[in-house]
Amino acid sequence: METSLKAWWVQSLALLGRQIRVFVRDVPTLAQSLLVPALSMIMFKVVLGDAIGKATGQDSAYGTVPLVILVGAMFGSIASATRLNNERRTGLLGRLYVLPINRAADLTSRLASDLVRILTTTLLLLAVGHLIGFRFTQGLGPAIGLVVVALAYGAAFGIMTLALAVNASPGAPIVPYLGMLSSLLMFFNSGFSPLSAYPEWLQPIVANQPMTPAIDLMRALAAGGPLTENLIKVAVWTVALLALSVYPALRGYRLAATAR
């Protein structure tokens, strides 16, 4: 087994290439990760755009684009977790683990491929968002910051789904449960409608669930507005998810790869 930093880096890059090729060749997953979010964004604008704009006083694209970027990151992570669970069931994970390579290389490559996917999807959706009225009015720095928020949110959610995938039994119904969670987050946030439109008892939940501060922060980075409170909330959610997921992911990966 290789333990040097150079071996970890080189082997992670090689396995990252494998992950990207697997993703690109999986046409249904590729379409779900790239085309479905883009079409959904256009549909939301056509169907709900005027109603949301009248309620918020702002072009609905500034809520819809961040919302769909985060949803795309979440559902793409669910697909990655499902593929990992399938590779565990077929024995491929175990075969990779016994190769004379750095133990962390495969796990690193999976996380890196998720970041590549999120970055690609984010840039594509920003381009589509431009067609429906989304603009960066605050300069290059905030625009880069918006992409960083998407990557941080996607990375935290991705590590959480990976931890669930390696700790669940092979063939476990990961997709239905994570899909239900993602759907709840998707429909109860500030991307569709302002916080004041929700019932009073629901507003604190909507305001503090992980998607809402991320959407509001991305909106402010694009169109202007207060940043500090939502930046703190996004940082807290990101650190909390990472803290709760990293060790279970590492331990579960080792146990899943060596299980007989």
Side-chain angles (χ1 to χ4, degrees):
M1 180 185 68
E2 294 282 357
T3 58
S4 68
L5 184 62
K6 180 180 179 181
W8 166 76
W9 175 254
V10 172
Q11 292 158 8
S12 294
L13 287 178
L15 290 171
L16 171 61
R18 169 189 172 269
Q19 292 292 335
I20 293 175
R21 287 192 295 273
V22 169
F23 174 71
V24 171
R25 291 169 182 172
D26 186 352
V27 177
T29 301
L30 184 65
Q32 178 184 339
S33 299
L34 299 179
L35 297 181
V36 173
L39 294 175
S40 298
M41 183 187 297
I42 295 172
M43 180 188 70
F44 290 151
K45 176 65 175 178
V46 171
V47 176
L48 301 173
D50 290 341
I52 297 174
K54 291 177 181 178
T56 62
Q58 186 182 54
D59 191 323
S60 63
Y62 289 98
T64 301
V65 172
L67 168 63
V68 176
I69 286 174
L70 298 183
V71 170
M74 289 192 298
F75 280 96
S77 294
I78 293 173
S80 298
T82 303
R83 184 170 68 247
L84 172 58
N85 196 265
N86 289 335
E87 290 181 355
R88 172 190 177 186
R89 179 176 51 83
T90 60
L92 178 59
L93 195 63
R95 292 195 293 273
L96 287 171
Y97 196 78
V98 299
L99 290 175
I101 60 176
N102 189 285
R103 286 282 187 256
D106 184 49
L107 191 59
T108 302
S109 72
R110 293 176 189 274
L111 298 177
S113 69
D114 258 2
L115 291 177
V116 171
R117 172 187 54 76
I118 294 167
L119 177 60
T120 303
T121 304
T122 298
L123 295 178
L124 172 64
L125 293 177
L126 288 174
V128 175
H130 187 81
L131 300 178
I132 63 172
F134 185 85
R135 299 289 187 274
F136 287 109
T137 64
Q138 306 302 301
L140 179 61
I144 295 173
L146 184 149
V147 176
V148 172
V149 172
L151 288 171
Y153 181 94
F157 189 87
I159 293 176
M160 182 191 75
T161 60
L162 189 150
L164 291 173
V166 293
N167 284 285
S169 60
I174 297 174
V175 174
Y177 292 121
L178 286 176
M180 180 174 64
L181 172 63
S182 299
S183 296
L184 286 173
L185 295 177
M186 180 175 69
F187 286 107
F188 293 96
N189 59 67
S190 61
F192 273 131
S193 60
L195 190 63
S196 59
Y198 292 95
E200 288 188 10
W201 64 269
L202 189 58
Q203 289 180 16
I205 299 174
V206 174
N208 294 291
Q209 65 108 320
M211 283 191 73
T212 294
I215 290 171
D216 290 344
L217 179 58
M218 294 167 78
R219 181 191 283 122
L221 287 168
L227 299 174
T228 305
E229 181 179 354
N230 289 314
L231 179 60
I232 292 172
K233 288 182 179 180
V234 170
V236 168
W237 270 113
T238 300
V239 172
L241 286 176
L242 291 174
L244 291 173
S245 302
V246 168
Y247 177 73
L250 294 172
R251 180 178 181 276
Y253 181 86
R254 179 177 59 81
L255 294 176
T258 55
R260 292 291 183 265

